[in-house]
Amino acid sequence: MRACGMDFGTSNSAVSLPHPQGGVTLAPCEGNHGTLPTALFYSAARGAQTPPLVGRQAQKLFFEGEEGRFMRSLKRLLGTSLMTQNTVVNGKPRGFDRIIGDFMQHLKTSAEAAAGHAIDAVVIGRPVHFVDGDTAGDSAAEKQLATIARGCGFAHTTFEFEPIAAAFAHEQRITDEKLALVIDIGGGTSDFTVIKICAAYSRKPDRREDILASHGIRTGGNDFDKQLSLAAFMPLLGYRSSYGDKNLAVPLSPFHDMSEWSKINFLYTPQMRRDIADILKSAHAPEKLARFAAVLADETGHKLLGTVEDTKISLTGALKAEAPLDFIERGLTAAVTRSDFNRAIAAEMDDILNCMAACLADAQIARGDIDIVILTGGPTETPLLQDAVRAKFPAAQISEDERMASVALGLGHAAARVFG
């Protein structure tokens, strides 16, 4: 039995290989890159039977204007009713299970190419909760992912919580027992684990006694994108404007859907274009709503949200950013400050910190008992979160090693232990 670890993430993914002599490495899955964006592009020109382009190449061709169907954040569909539906890909119906399977197949093929042999077993990372407050939905999500894995040729599949996997990766360098809090914030979820870590413990066949508590919430970097979009970008496109003699509010839901990666494609319908065109006739801010109509007509919603995401990332290191929106209207920009961003995500940040506190409470651990805080996932770079963590754990070591790859590497260690 030959195994790998697979981090199928909302925003980024990776696959890892355990080595017989010990140690784990990432398999190159896009050129020399060990990680790749969780993005697919089904090119119209290349034919319906051609495998989709993935990762950076998918994003590049789509944003350069090649015709086809682009998708991101597919992980957020797991456990929801959308997983039972088809979507249209270049004129043909295709189930989301097949679409996720196309991406997972790429990861498996990449791992096998790097290993030089077939792989039939996998440990897949999963959030503590795929769906908040819905046990049935959470169970369905894991079953859906297991079924997709089997369809890709994995005869043996098991799962590990992503924050626990991150701890497995970090503990390889820990010589004495440490009490760790793992803060794993990805594109779709925020997950926490309190765990005892030590390099010697990685050889234990059962780690349950070391894991004191795990908690999670379905809030992550994509939600930061959404709130920044609604606060600083969508008002330029008519969000919260009005129309007609009765001063009616322009419907909010299209703007909310345009601010979520997983929902943008569902807006590109003749009915939605007609609805916005009808409202535009009596809009009180027609120049703004016309921009939203243009985004619908040109199908540039992903490009718009990509600009929002780039702005979010820029505000990690800068106090202000000017986001160019020339693809919507010549000379149009969105001026955003870090303070704007902090206000936009304040509620989400409160939810994340409250979930972290609940994890500590379940573990019956005080903040001062934590020896090391492990930060993993791109959104943990957010200054607002960084400041909060350092204020709450002033005496703890803060570890940010392998921020984008620690979950995948830890899953590789789990694969070595589970499958031998």
Side-chain angles (χ1 to χ4, degrees):
M1 190 183 304
R2 292 172 171 177
C4 67
M6 183 177 293
D7 178 16
F8 171 60
T10 303
S11 298
N12 295 281
S13 294
V15 62
S16 61
L17 297 169
H19 301 295
Q21 67 275 23
V24 171
T25 57
L26 295 181
C29 49
E30 187 177 12
N32 293 323
H33 296 286
T35 65
L36 78 166
T38 310
L40 301 93
F41 179 61
Y42 293 88
S43 169
R46 297 165 192 253
Q49 302 306 312
T50 304
L53 301 168
V54 300
R56 297 167 186 82
Q57 187 182 23
Q59 294 181 153
K60 180 177 182 291
L61 290 182
F62 175 72
F63 290 132
E64 286 178 350
E66 184 168 326
E67 292 294 322
R69 182 72 186 272
F70 179 77
M71 298 185 194
R72 268 192 62 174
S73 295
L74 292 164
K75 187 175 180 178
R76 300 202 96 178
L77 302 179
L78 291 165
T80 73
S81 60
L82 290 173
M83 282 298 294
T84 63
Q85 301 177 20
N86 287 333
T87 188
V88 177
V89 175
N90 297 331
K92 296 185 179 296
R94 196 175 191 89
F96 286 108
D97 56 343
R98 288 187 61 196
I99 294 167
I100 293 174
D102 286 342
F103 188 85
M104 187 179 289
Q105 189 68 62
H106 173 82
L107 293 177
K108 183 174 188 286
T109 300
S110 299
E112 291 175 334
H117 54 70
I119 295 174
D120 62 355
V122 63
V123 177
I124 301 176
R126 57 152 293 169
V128 176
H129 301 295
F130 282 101
V131 186
D132 288 343
D134 182 354
T135 303
D138 192 72
S139 177
E142 184 174 294
K143 289 178 181 176
Q144 289 160 357
L145 206 50
T147 299
I148 292 168
R150 285 194 296 272
C152 291
F154 288 114
H156 310 281
T157 301
T158 189
F159 291 87
E160 183 59 86
F161 284 159
E162 290 157 354
I164 294 175
F168 292 163
H170 280 264
E171 75 179 351
Q172 303 304 311
R173 300 181 296 277
I174 304 297
T175 56
D176 299 316
E177 181 182 285
K178 301 289 185 183
L179 186 59
L181 168 66
V182 182
I183 300 175
D184 174 18
I185 304 184
T189 58
S190 295
D191 294 297
F192 308 89
T193 285
V194 177
I195 181 173
K196 298 174 186 176
I197 60 174
C198 178
Y201 294 175
S202 64
R203 296 186 288 273
K204 288 184 178 182
D206 189 337
R207 295 298 301 274
R208 282 177 290 185
E209 67 177 17
D210 298 325
I211 301 164
L212 304 188
S214 293
H215 260 260
I217 187 173
R218 198 172 186 267
T219 298
N222 285 5
D223 299 285
F224 295 173
D225 295 342
K226 178 177 180 178
Q227 296 308 320
L228 181 59
S229 175
L230 293 173
F233 289 79
M234 289 300 151
L236 298 174
L237 278 64
Y239 181 57
R240 295 198 179 279
S241 62
S242 57
Y243 72 102
D245 295 337
K246 296 182 179 180
N247 204 35
L248 299 173
V250 172
L252 301 179
S253 59
F255 298 94
H256 283 255
D257 290 350
M258 190 66 79
S259 300
E260 289 196 48
W261 288 106
S262 58
K263 294 184 179 180
I264 293 172
N265 280 315
F266 296 103
L267 289 170
Y268 299 146
T269 66
Q271 184 61 53
M272 178 57 66
R273 294 186 180 99
R274 285 194 296 268
D275 290 346
I276 296 299
D278 287 343
I279 294 171
L280 185 56
K281 294 173 185 176
S282 59
H284 298 157
E287 72 287 353
K288 293 182 178 180
L289 193 59
R291 295 167 184 160
F292 190 83
V295 171
L296 289 175
D298 299 336
E299 298 191 0
T300 53
H302 286 97
K303 189 170 186 177
L304 173 57
L305 196 51
T307 302
V308 175
E309 184 180 42
D310 289 343
T311 303
K312 175 191 70 177
I313 294 170
S314 295
L315 291 171
T316 297
L319 296 178
K320 60 182 178 180
E322 290 278 342
L325 299 171
D326 295 272
F327 60 91
I328 299 175
E329 179 184 297
R330 185 185 299 273
L332 182 64
T333 62
V336 192
T337 67
R338 185 183 291 175
S339 294
D340 294 331
F341 177 50
N342 289 347
R343 283 192 295 271
I345 66 170
E348 284 68 27
M349 193 59 64
D350 285 345
D351 289 342
I352 288 170
L353 294 176
N354 287 338
C355 187
M356 180 186 75
C359 186
L360 290 169
D362 274 7
Q364 299 182 12
I365 292 297
R367 294 202 303 261
D369 296 327
I370 296 296
D371 298 309
I372 180 170
V373 177
I374 297 170
L375 297 176
T376 186
T380 59
E381 292 185 272
T382 304
L384 190 61
L385 177 72
Q386 288 265 336
D387 292 345
V389 169
R390 294 178 192 281
K392 291 179 181 296
F393 303 97
Q397 176 189 348
I398 306 296
S399 176
E400 303 180 66
D401 296 341
E402 299 286 3
R403 183 195 300 273
M404 301 302 293
S406 61
V407 170
L409 291 169
L411 292 169
H413 287 291
R417 186 174 64 253
V418 172
F419 295 111

